[in-house]
Amino acid sequence: MERKKITIVGAGNIGATLALLLARREVADVYLIDIDEGIAKGKALDIMEASPILGFNSRVYGTGNYEDTANSDLVVITAGFPRKPGMSRDDLLFKNFEIVKSVTEQVKKYSPEAFIIVVTNPLDAMTYTALKVSGFPTNRVMGMAGALDAARFAYFLSEKTGISVENIRAFVIGSHGDDMVPLKNYTTISGIPVRYFLSDEELEKLIERTRFAGGEIVSLLKHGSAFYAPAASILDMAVSILWNKRKIISCSVYLEGEAGEYYGAEGLCVGVPVVLGKDGIEKVIKLELSDDEWTQWRKSVESVKKLVDKLPL
Ligand code: APR
């Protein structure tokens, strides 16, 4: 069977880690592309030299030329500047806007049928940028955020309760920033609501840690931001689409029509639960939220709107 083709734009920490994860699972052949061609080629070669030991047959190629990426099934955009200590994701807005815009123009030209997963921050505004610049249908462009935020929340819950991460299903919606909305009412441990395991106060502490989990890593690393868990989250989304798994994953998607009206975020990209399958975003799930969660959600939407309004689109 012919393998799928995935292009990863940006062969930095997230891009290269993702290339290795995709190759190990033989999800696709991978093209790593970077403005620094040597980095893309060097990391691709290094990964391929691990293949005899790890035993995978997928190929990872490095390039600086978009022609090599032609007709990709999926393009992941990680190109951009990561955060430095003391910077918020929003501080990256204009620098990364220019990068995502120029990358998306190339994706549109060379892979007009691809799905796009945006990773560059500020995530929701950059997803909106990729959608508008590509002109792709809304089911094919999405941002990776909720998968990562939920994984972080799940890990903290596992650490606190001592129960396997495999049993934990955490849910986070809203913007990928400090205004994200972790949903304790939809978070379960082996199907049992999490409130059976932890007090409100304990849960609130973990929710707070989840909101600032990206920043916690940035301050520890000092140079750069998180990349192992982000790469794993992208892998989960890519596999759900390319293998038509139809998993429910929270992603930043363009809200319009009935869903846009329901969530009160018409015309913006914000994180909500969706079904990811062979057609990309196949369904937006509407959730009943408590009054408090609606208040948080609206704040989250406002913060995305503020950024998007500044974009020269
Ligand atoms: N085209 C291609 N690659 C580019 C471009 C561009 N126009 N501009 C920058 N890059 C490359 C850089 O050369 C670098 O190799 O993007 C890569 C980014 O890698 P890292 O700095 O290691 O960043 P990473 O940790 O992978 O994060 C990528 O995800 O979390 C977000 O905000 C974060 O925007 C950052 C992105």
Side-chain angles (χ1 to χ4, degrees):
M1 198 175 79
E2 207 180 308
R3 268 190 292 273
K4 298 279 188 187
K5 180 169 178 176
I6 297 182
T7 288
I8 302 173
V9 187
N13 280 335
I14 297 180
T17 308
L18 175 63
L20 177 63
L21 293 178
L22 287 167
R24 280 205 75 171
R25 289 211 26 209
E26 298 186 329
V27 179
D29 288 330
V30 178
Y31 285 75
L32 266 176
I33 182 164
D34 202 286
I35 32 164
D36 187 331
E37 191 177 358
I39 287 194
K41 287 194 160 156
K43 290 193 179 177
L45 181 59
D46 194 10
I47 290 171
M48 284 319 300
E49 286 168 0
S51 67
I53 302 167
L54 298 174
F56 58 80
N57 294 286
S58 282
R59 297 278 158 177
V60 180
Y61 304 96
T63 183
N65 185 348
Y66 277 93
E67 275 173 32
D68 296 331
T69 71
N71 300 318
S72 293
D73 298 286
L74 169 68
V75 178
V76 181
I77 304 180
T78 78
F81 292 94
R83 278 196 284 170
K84 299 206 171 82
M87 273 176 98
S88 77
R89 291 182 181 93
D90 300 353
D91 292 336
L92 302 167
L93 184 68
F94 294 108
K95 274 183 154 185
N96 284 350
F97 169 76
E98 289 305 329
I99 295 175
V100 170
K101 182 167 173 266
S102 72
V103 167
T104 305
E105 283 160 358
Q106 299 301 316
V107 175
K108 182 181 176 170
K109 183 168 172 196
Y110 288 100
S111 297
E113 302 300 324
F115 296 101
I116 301 181
I117 298 180
V118 179
V119 182
T120 308
N121 278 316
L123 193 275
D124 304 281
M126 293 303 105
T127 305
Y128 181 87
T129 302
L131 179 77
K132 292 295 164 187
V133 174
S134 66
F136 284 6
T138 52
N139 61 309
R140 283 206 271 130
V141 183
M142 66 208 84
M144 185 289 292
L148 170 62
D149 298 326
R152 286 171 167 160
F153 189 23
Y155 171 66
F156 299 149
L157 286 164
S158 167
E159 197 186 35
K160 181 77 190 167
T161 58
I163 293 169
S164 167
V165 284
E166 288 171 60
N167 279 157
I168 301 183
R169 291 282 173 269
F171 238 97
V172 180
I173 61 169
S175 64
H176 186 49
D178 305 344
D179 293 326
M180 69 179 74
V181 188
L183 296 178
K184 55 185 174 195
N185 294 333
Y186 288 100
T187 295
T188 61
I189 301 186
S190 201
I192 305 163
V194 71
R195 63 175 181 277
Y196 283 85
F197 298 86
L198 298 172
S199 68
D200 249 5
E201 197 183 321
E202 286 169 324
L203 263 174
E204 280 312 320
K205 269 195 194 145
L206 300 187
I207 285 176
E208 204 53 16
R209 189 170 176 201
T210 303
R211 284 189 211 283
F212 296 97
E216 185 179 350
I217 305 260
V218 171
S219 349
L220 287 166
L221 295 181
K222 293 185 193 75
H223 306 283
S225 47
F227 53 100
Y228 293 115
S233 307
I234 306 160
L235 174 75
D236 201 24
M237 290 168 66
V239 165
S240 193
I241 294 170
L242 296 180
W243 293 354
N244 194 26
K245 282 189 160 200
R246 308 196 82 240
K247 285 180 91 168
I248 294 177
I249 299 176
S250 179
C251 305
S252 183
V253 303
Y254 187 72
L255 289 167
E256 59 185 339
E258 212 186 297
E261 222 170 276
Y262 176 78
Y263 279 110
E266 191 83 37
L268 290 173
C269 292
V270 196
V272 288
V274 299
V275 177
L276 284 186
K278 67 175 178 9
D279 296 322
I281 301 151
E282 297 190 354
K283 187 180 168 56
V284 175
I285 313 259
K286 292 192 216 161
L287 295 174
E288 271 180 40
L289 302 180
S290 67
D291 289 349
D292 183 40
E293 286 162 348
W294 274 118
T295 308
Q296 290 179 43
W297 166 262
R298 275 189 284 269
K299 194 170 163 218
S300 209
V301 169
E302 263 322 297
S303 68
V304 175
K305 190 169 180 338
K306 246 192 236 160
L307 291 186
V308 168
D309 284 346
K310 288 186 200 161
L311 294 176
L313 275 170

